[in-house]
């Protein structure tokens, strides 16, 4: 052990050999320390520096517009398309539209919705709805208004109420109930989804179902589940506001509605290729 301690002590003693250790006891006094000096104050910014830091708003104070809720609007053709079908009743071609438009503020808006089909230069069936929509949350609106059916057959008017918005998993959904003359009731439910294949190619499946409470032979409608339509459209967004598309639509009539269609020489189901454009502004 003694030999081990000597191995570490002797080199340390050799390093201090010749040094005057008495000088190490003298520490510098407080008066010998350099005095800390405060930094010089920054100069005030010049007029040129202020102008370079903030853009010229031409006298506008943006604080006056923080709480603005301006009236804005939008006109959107979700579908404006040419359709081509092939069935037992023969080849058939026509035009179809699906329009949604609104005008108003964040919480309250006036909505215009319309859809229909034209063949051989005549409107086979169509409807237009004028609705007031009130936001019940960040994603849903309650709707109240009127609907008018036109085209071949007898025109009908309905009082309408329902909801529309964005369901979980980003499904756009709408459900509307209708009350017509003589206590007629009807309902329509729609759901669609946008699947982004790329930033510009978007695949859009869509399902629509219609129900009626009583037979309406003048319009080829039977009681119960009347018809359903499933569409699959692939669009290419040249711009967000303008997108041509191709698609396939399959529709089927059910129950008494299908019987009325067959009696008139039509088909229970129909498949159609479609080509159209989706645009809004």
């Amino acid at each position: 052990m003694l030999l081990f301690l000597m191995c570490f002590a002797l080199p340390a003693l050799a390093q201090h050999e010749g040094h005057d250790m008495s000088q190490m006891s003298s520490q510098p006094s407080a008066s010998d320390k350099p005095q800390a000096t405060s930094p010089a104050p920054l100069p005030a910014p010049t007029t040129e520096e202020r102008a370079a830091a903030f853009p010229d708003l031409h006298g506008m104070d943006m604080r006056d517009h923080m709480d603005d809720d301006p009236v804005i609007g939008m006109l959107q053709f979700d579908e404006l398309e040419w359709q081509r079908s092939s069935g037992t009743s023969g080849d058939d071609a026509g035009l179809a539209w699906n329009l949604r438009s609104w005008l108003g503020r964040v919480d309250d808006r006036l909505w215009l919705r319309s859809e229909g089909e034209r063949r051989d230069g005549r409107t086979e069936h169509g409807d237009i709805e004028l609705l007031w929509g009130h936001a019940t949350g960040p994603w849903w609106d309650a709707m109240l208004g009127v609907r008018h059916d036109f085209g071949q057959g007898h025109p009908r008017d309905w009082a309408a109420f329902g909801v529309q918005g964005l369901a979980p998993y980003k499904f756009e959904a709408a459900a509307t109930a209708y009350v017509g003359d003589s206590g007629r009731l009807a309902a329509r439910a729609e759901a669609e989804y946008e699947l982004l294949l790329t930033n510009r190619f978007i695949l859009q499946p869509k399902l629509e179902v219609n129900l009626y409470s009583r037979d309406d032979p003048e319009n080829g409608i039977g009681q119960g589940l009347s018809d359903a339509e499933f569409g699959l459209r692939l669009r290419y967004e040249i711009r967000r506001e303008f997108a041509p598309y191709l698609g396939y639509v399959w529709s089927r009539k059910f129950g008494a509605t299908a019987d009325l269609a067959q009696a008139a020489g039509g088909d229970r189901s129909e498949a159609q290729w479609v080509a159209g454009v989706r645009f809004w502004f």
Side-chain angles (χ1 to χ4, degrees), residues 51-66:
F54 299 98
D56 183 10
L57 299 179
H58 305 288
M60 181 182 295
D61 187 351
M62 295 305 295
R63 291 174 298 181
D64 297 337
H65 302 275
M66 294 295 291

Side-chain angles (χ1 to χ4, degrees), residues 201-212:
F201 279 104
I202 298 173
L203 187 64
Q204 183 184 37
K206 178 180 178 181
L207 177 65
E208 177 180 316
V209 177
N210 289 286
L211 301 96
Y212 292 87

Side-chain angles (χ1 to χ4, degrees), residues 12-250:
L13 291 173
Q15 291 180 358
H16 294 286
E17 187 178 0
H19 291 189
D20 185 0
M21 302 298 292
S22 61
Q23 297 178 358
M24 297 184 64
S25 60
S26 62
Q27 300 295 328
S29 61
S31 60
D32 297 333
K33 294 181 179 179
Q35 296 294 326
T37 58
S38 58
L42 296 174
T46 63
T47 304
E48 291 75 13
E49 291 172 335
R50 291 177 184 274
F54 299 98
D56 183 10
L57 299 179
H58 305 288
M60 181 182 295
D61 187 351
M62 295 305 295
R63 291 174 298 181
D64 297 337
H65 302 275
M66 294 295 291
D67 298 325
D68 277 1
D69 184 11
V71 176
I72 52 178
M74 182 176 183
L75 175 65
Q76 176 173 326
F77 274 91
D78 275 343
E79 298 158 16
L80 184 59
E81 63 190 24
W82 172 84
Q83 299 180 333
R84 182 76 178 185
S85 62
S86 179
T88 56
S89 56
D91 293 342
D92 199 5
L95 297 172
W97 74 87
N98 188 316
L99 163 69
R100 290 190 297 177
S101 177
W102 55 263
L103 176 69
R105 303 180 188 277
V106 172
D107 291 333
D108 295 284
R109 295 176 178 178
L110 185 64
W111 285 82
L112 179 67
R113 303 189 307 200
S114 178
E115 64 178 46
E117 293 181 7
R118 287 180 60 84
R119 297 182 188 279
D120 300 327
R122 298 179 301 173
T123 301
E124 282 200 341
H125 64 85
D127 62 65
I128 184 169
E129 296 175 281
L130 186 62
L131 305 159
W132 169 72
H134 177 70
T136 57
W139 308 111
W140 289 94
D141 290 336
M143 313 295 286
L144 177 66
V146 294
R147 164 182 151 184
H148 175 70
D149 293 349
F150 55 92
Q152 299 181 12
H154 189 81
R156 300 287 183 193
D157 293 313
W158 309 81
F161 58 93
V163 295
Q164 69 176 21
L166 193 64
Y169 301 102
K170 298 183 179 180
F171 279 90
E172 290 190 21
T176 311
Y178 303 96
V179 180
D181 58 344
S182 306
R184 294 178 185 275
L185 301 176
R188 174 180 295 168
E190 300 174 78
E192 62 183 56
Y193 186 78
E194 293 192 346
L195 179 62
L196 274 66
L197 303 180
T198 69
N199 287 337
R200 293 184 181 272
F201 279 104
I202 298 173
L203 187 64
Q204 183 184 37
K206 178 180 178 181
L207 177 65
E208 177 180 316
V209 177
N210 289 286
L211 301 96
Y212 292 87
S213 65
R214 62 175 62 177
D215 294 335
D216 185 3
E218 292 177 303
N219 292 314
I221 294 172
Q223 182 182 9
L225 177 60
S226 170
D227 60 278
E229 180 180 288
F230 176 76
L232 191 64
R233 295 174 175 84
L234 176 65
R235 71 173 185 265
Y236 178 78
E237 291 191 342
I238 298 174
R239 300 183 58 179
R240 289 283 297 168
E241 301 88 347
F242 185 82
Y245 63 82
L246 296 172
Y248 186 80
V249 176
W250 180 81

